[in-house]
Amino acid sequence: MGSDAVRRLADEPLDHRFKGLPPDAGRAGLTVGQLAAEKRDLYTGGFTTPVLTLDAEALEHNLTALGAYAARHGLAFAPHGKTCMAPQLFERQLEHGAWGITAAVPHQARVYRAFGIPRIFLANELVDPAALRWVADELAADPGFRFVCYVDSVRGVELMDRALRGRSQVVDVVVELGAGEGARTGARTDEDCRAVADAVAGAATLRLVGIAGYEAEVPGADPESVHAYLRRLTGLAVEFDRAGRFAADLDEIVVSAGGSAWFDAVADVFGEIPELSRPVLKLLRSGAYVSHDHGWYTRLTPFNRIPEEGGLRPAFRLWTQVVSRPSPTQAFVNAGKRDIAYDLGLPEAELVRDALTGEERPAAGVRVAKLSDQHAWLETEAEGDVRVGDWVALGMSHPCTIFEKWPLIPVVEADGTVTDYVRTFF
């Protein structure tokens, strides 16, 4: 991992790009690392609202929890980096045993490589000629770099082969099995998968290394249908191996699935894969676990079904401030759609911090009713629920759209001390 590149993030000067940070830090010409070394208090150290924070203890707990789960079930782990796009967190994921990092689009892969990620699984089709040539050049420049991407059509194979002709490097691909009619990408039938595999065999620029898919796209997903889809996926891997469809020079066969909602089903079914002609890299790709959330994934996490296996903790809090209290049942805080993830539901009021005493209490009786660009509309049961100047902590759903709104995120200890800052690259 390119830890030197990650460490250089601390040398970045603070400026107006980084909302929520103390204005005096920018005026003083501090770098991110210098501000972190000051270990300021979140509440008294000059931070301005709104400010998004990551709970240091919850973050470490989550990194440990899923890393341990994957190891316990014999799964390799390539967490989806699109969730956070944060090289510091990628480095910590690798330190917790991750095989590599998953990407969805070429830009993400370029960011990963800029920070030295050695293995990238692109969980998407890649037919862009410029991006394919970049991949080939990266492979040629670094013999230790591993790259794998999806393919789901004969035409896609033809376009990839055309873009890569004349390059010395062969690009590894896995056939993506679609999760059913009405689902997202992926070849829809087993026969379609066989046709794609045959096309790859005829392209000197590509190498078939496995089978992959995304079980959360199963229409009406439930335990029975998800397990059935995953068994179809692993069945294709067994069939392809017996038929000699995988490249002869492979050291391992890649079988991959697994978002953040069904990794228990992936562990179940991947544990049933019989012995094949070569070792199987059983690659899980869950990403939202790193921060978890206060709503969507709190309800969906497989740990709800298997609590004996562990659990995850919400790591995010968006601290906002009450700026207006026009009536006993209405209040407004200074954060809205520009700051808040809302694609999977409105945020939830978690805590209130008294502006005068610093006392924190549960946000009982406080509800977010709607969002404007820069305001959240709060409904309250009593006039004393919140007052002008109080800080209100909001919990949100969907880590992917939380991270993307904040280029620099303070990491906070339980006592309010800010010990680090996570930089994102969206």
Side-chain angles (χ1 to χ4, degrees), residues 66 77-80 83 93 257-263 284-289:
L66 211 57
F77 190 29
H80 212 316
T83 298
Q93 288 170 320
S260 295
W262 294 100
F263 56 73
L284 180 70
R285 305 191 307 268
S286 310
Y289 82 100

Side-chain angles (χ1 to χ4, degrees), residues 89-325:
L89 297 183
F90 298 161
E91 184 170 58
R92 291 180 66 178
Q93 288 170 320
L94 293 174
E95 289 169 353
H96 281 78
W99 170 91
I101 305 294
T102 295
V105 292
H107 156 71
Q108 294 165 0
R110 293 199 303 272
V111 171
Y112 299 2
R113 288 301 288 164
F115 288 93
I117 299 296
R119 299 188 186 100
I120 297 173
F121 187 94
L122 186 73
N124 206 349
E125 282 66 30
L126 181 59
V127 294
D128 181 286
L132 283 162
R133 290 192 288 267
W134 172 82
V135 168
D137 290 345
E138 286 291 303
L139 291 167
D142 181 1
F145 175 42
R146 180 84 193 275
F147 178 87
V148 181
C149 70
Y150 284 176
V151 65
D152 73 352
S153 67
V154 172
R155 181 175 171 84
V157 171
E158 292 169 350
L159 290 169
M160 294 179 79
D161 183 50
R162 179 177 179 177
L164 292 166
R165 285 175 195 164
R167 293 301 204 271
S168 60
Q169 297 300 309
V170 172
V171 172
D172 287 346
V173 298
V174 291
V175 173
E176 184 193 7
L177 172 66
E181 289 302 324
R184 206 165 59 189
T185 56
R188 291 298 193 252
T189 69
D190 293 5
E191 192 54 44
D192 290 339
C193 290
R194 296 180 191 108
V196 173
D198 289 342
V200 172
T205 59
L206 303 176
R207 184 173 73 154
L208 184 63
V209 301
I211 302 284
Y214 181 46
E215 71 291 336
E217 282 291 308
V218 171
D222 60 24
E224 183 178 356
S225 61
V226 168
H227 278 76
Y229 164 73
L230 289 168
R231 289 192 176 103
R232 187 173 159 221
L233 181 82
T234 58
L236 271 174
V238 173
E239 176 197 316
F240 278 24
D241 183 50
R242 289 173 178 166
R245 292 184 181 274
F246 295 126
D249 60 345
L250 284 189
D251 294 326
E252 61 188 7
I253 295 167
V254 178
V255 181
S256 180
S260 295
W262 294 100
F263 56 73
D264 57 334
V266 174
D268 288 345
V269 176
F270 281 18
E272 301 169 354
I273 297 175
E275 185 174 344
L276 301 184
S277 63
R278 280 147 287 186
V280 179
L281 182 73
K282 304 171 184 178
L283 197 60
L284 180 70
R285 305 191 307 268
S286 310
Y289 82 100
V290 67
S291 64
H292 202 44
D293 70 11
H294 281 90
W296 185 260
Y297 283 106
T298 293
R299 294 187 292 272
L300 288 185
T301 177
F303 285 125
N304 292 336
R305 296 185 289 270
I306 48 170
E308 69 280 3
E309 291 262 26
L312 301 172
R313 301 176 188 171
F316 276 130
R317 275 185 182 152
L318 179 64
W319 283 103
T320 67
Q321 193 167 30
V322 179
V323 294
S324 179
R325 191 77 163 94

Side-chain angles (χ1 to χ4, degrees), residues 355-375:
L356 297 178
T357 67
E359 178 187 356
E360 291 184 6
R361 61 184 185 275
V366 181
R367 185 179 72 86
V368 178
K370 68 176 182 176
L371 301 175
S372 300
D373 281 353
Q374 305 289 181
H375 294 91

